[in-house]
Amino acid sequence: MWEYTEKVLDHFRNPRNVGEVEDPDGIGEVGSLACGDALRLTFKLDEHKRIKEVKFKTFGCASAIASSSALTEIIKGMTLEEAEKVTNQDIARYLGELPEEKMHCSVMGQEALQAAIAHYRGKGVPKEETDIVCKCFGISGKEIEKVARQNNLTTIEQVTHYTKAGGGCGTCHPKIQEILDRLGREERPEMPADKERGRRRLTNLQKIKLIEETVEGIIKPALRRDGGDLELIDIEGNKVLVGLRGTCSSCPASGFTLKHYVEGKLREYVSPEIEVEEVAP
Amino acid sequence: MKTIYFDNNATTQVAPEVLEAMEPYFCQRYGNPSSMHSFGGQVKKEVERAREKVASLLGAHPDEIVFTSCGTESDNAAVRGTLESYPGKNHFVTTRVEHPAVWNLCPYLRQKGYRVTEISVDRKGRISLDEVRSSLTDATALVSVMYANNETGVVFPIEEIGRIVKARGIPFHTDAVQAVGKVPLDMSKSTVDLLSLSGHKLHAPKGIGALYVRRGTKLAPFIIGGHQEKGRRGGTENVPYIVGLGKAAELAEQRMAEETTRVRMLRDRLEKGILERVPNVLINGDTEHRLPNTCSLSFEYVEGESILMMLNDLGVCASSGSACTSGSLEPSHVLRAMGVPFTAAHGSIRFSLSIYNTEEEVDFVVQHLPDIIEKLREISPFWKDFKEGKFSLRAAG
């Protein structure tokens, strides 16, 4: 059973704006029956070129329906310039959170919106059909690159969760890896959206550096104020090994400090998956 | 809200009689069957009594029953234990619709250097006997074919397959986890050498299974340890659960007639009721050769997880072969092997009943399901297109 938030369940049980706008200004269609999900988005603008009416029809699972419903609520009243800045992360955030395996539902929402805006502007559907990487689900390299960049994806599994690419026969995995490798070599500017959430996809090097910075710049100064200190000993994946020094080493509340303060700060600044363990001196 | 449990191929309620039979073996009669004192010895007698009951359900000799921890262990013990017994042979034959307990052994065995043949099935999930026959070679160490399919309920002609396999002198295993307790079995007249069963599919608890091993069958032990189970499966016997499985087997034997008549009638009532009230529904699998409790339906133009979630809101438990329910992106390997179009497989729902279900429960689902499907079809972009004749799934699929 998926762990859906109450908001996802609410938008699934009581979807907003179901249907098709009559005589629409823009139509966006993505997905297919074979893929297991599909979305048709239609909107109409008012005299100020704001989205006056927007409706959806979706074939898909609970999170696909909820993502579509959320999308319509988000963009209602927006100008197209505002609407085209809406990302899949905005949809996921609006719903609280989506299971990572279901992120492709939010991506489908974003794609349908962009297709509908492009349709309004007379550009047709900008789906790149030329460089199909994943033949099972018809996903192009451009799409994979775009979603991977926006969501800072680093593994093939993540790409599959977000775009479906690679979820079928698996023969495109080397191609997806090539794209990821290429993106990894580029400098990655931090996404403002990630910063807000305190969550981002980090390479190991980035993670280690960030842990060091957090320990040196935030955690150590705070501990030192109470005469304590801490030594960063090693990092194994998400496990951070530390030694407590100074008054911390003999403090009866050190376990509490470690779990609540040190781990809390590292989770806040680095990754929610961080675990802190004390190594005996 | 009352729970309506129509997911008995996933797991079943423990029968109250089973729980009652198990209860004394936790705090009172907790002895080790291997002990020399009578406190343990009396427990050994109960283990042997349970073995007799399981043997009786299968038409087997008690010494042909090995207790295991689950159906998956039984399958692994049968397949890997047999292959180990025939080191000179490197070919394994099975089907494309097996449960993961056997199916996921295929890539593992290929990696170990085995050649693996997976027999295909037709659109109704039926196996071709000719394909079985032509797959066999002198290097074939084992043929493993499930008795009944967990997703569709399709029952394979195990004895006919067994005759072909045994004519070549090849060991024959069947994963009968879904069949035991639902269809009568008689190993004394069977061609089967090894048969897997699982307790929690027949109203015993999770954590107990058994493997039938025909006398004279070569089988290397899967768990090496003490002398338990005549050295075929080491580890102190799980006494309360073995007693529970024995009781469940006894009940299953008594209730076999009810299973094949009343449960079948409920399943048919459910299926007929849904087909009458909901347009564009397909039955998956061969309805002529099917477990009495199982019904797999594909609702076109809607997606399975959404149906399950809405049923869940009404307290109704079922399963789906849709991609979204598993977290994978493709629908179930069983429906794909049958060639069910992706479009229909995504909307598949499995109802599996048991003797604990009632006519009222069936009628409740028949009454409420049409509204669920209608609501989801109203949301679906394809339903209106279909109704307006813009396209048809069956033409596309």
Side-chain angles (χ1 to χ4, degrees), chain B residues 7-158:
Chain B
D7 202 11
N8 287 279
N9 287 8
T11 193
T12 61
Q13 177 199 325
V14 173
E17 297 92 331
V18 168
L19 183 62
E20 198 188 330
M22 291 170 65
E23 211 275 323
Y25 295 89
F26 287 99
C27 296
Q28 295 134 41
R29 313 179 69 183
Y30 52 81
N32 188 324
S34 301
S35 296
M36 278 303 126
H37 40 71
S38 55
F39 185 66
Q42 61 177 1
V43 169
K44 173 138 186 88
K45 279 188 196 130
E46 287 309 316
V47 168
E48 292 318 310
R49 203 157 298 157
R51 201 184 303 279
E52 285 163 19
K53 289 173 182 171
V54 174
S56 170
L57 176 66
L58 301 178
H61 301 288
D63 60 15
E64 293 175 317
I65 304 299
V66 179
F67 291 114
T68 65
S69 67
C70 60
T72 298
E73 188 195 320
S74 299
D75 285 337
N76 269 259
V79 174
R80 295 165 75 176
T82 304
L83 295 182
E84 201 183 312
S85 304
Y86 294 89
K89 301 193 173 192
N90 68 347
H91 182 218
F92 172 59
V93 176
T94 185
T95 77
R96 287 179 61 192
V97 295
E98 294 298 311
H99 185 274
V102 171
W103 204 55
N104 283 340
L105 282 171
C106 296
Y108 168 81
L109 291 173
R110 285 193 180 100
Q111 214 181 1
K112 292 265 170 196
Y114 282 89
R115 194 165 74 79
V116 178
T117 304
E118 293 174 51
I119 311 278
S120 60
V121 295
D122 67 10
R123 185 68 175 76
K124 289 194 159 182
R126 290 172 302 201
I127 202 168
S128 148
L129 294 178
D130 284 338
E131 203 178 325
V132 174
R133 198 175 288 116
S134 63
S135 72
L136 304 179
T137 72
D138 292 338
T140 308
L142 176 70
V143 176
S144 177
V145 176
M146 73 196 323
Y147 206 105
N149 188 271
N150 47 309
E151 291 188 30
T152 58
V154 169
V155 176
F156 281 141
I158 286 300

Side-chain angles (χ1 to χ4, degrees), chain A residues 54-99:
Chain A
V54 52
K55 289 192 170 179
F56 79 92
K57 281 206 164 185
T58 291
F59 162 81
C61 58
S63 60
I65 291 172
S67 293
S68 312
S69 169
L71 170 69
T72 58
E73 289 287 281
I74 292 170
I75 63 170
K76 207 185 261 183
M78 281 185 174
T79 63
L80 292 187
E81 289 66 38
E82 289 163 347
E84 70 189 341
K85 294 200 188 86
V86 170
T87 66
N88 69 294
Q89 291 157 351
D90 295 325
I91 297 171
R93 208 170 315 135
Y94 183 90
L95 291 168
E97 201 64 57
L98 283 175

Side-chain angles (χ1 to χ4, degrees), chain A residues 4 13 34 40 58 60 102, chain B residues 305-306 313 346 375 379 385:
Chain A
Y4 286 134
R13 289 176 185 137
R40 182 184 295 161
T58 291
K102 297 284 193 174
Chain B
E305 186 202 293
S306 291
D313 284 348
H346 284 302
K375 183 175 177 193
I379 302 177
D385 288 359

Side-chain angles (χ1 to χ4, degrees), chain A residues 97-115:
Chain A
E97 201 64 57
L98 283 175
E100 182 155 65
E101 292 87 343
K102 297 284 193 174
M103 284 302 284
H104 60 84
C105 297
S106 65
V107 172
M108 180 169 78
Q110 184 188 357
E111 284 177 353
L113 172 61
Q114 286 170 355

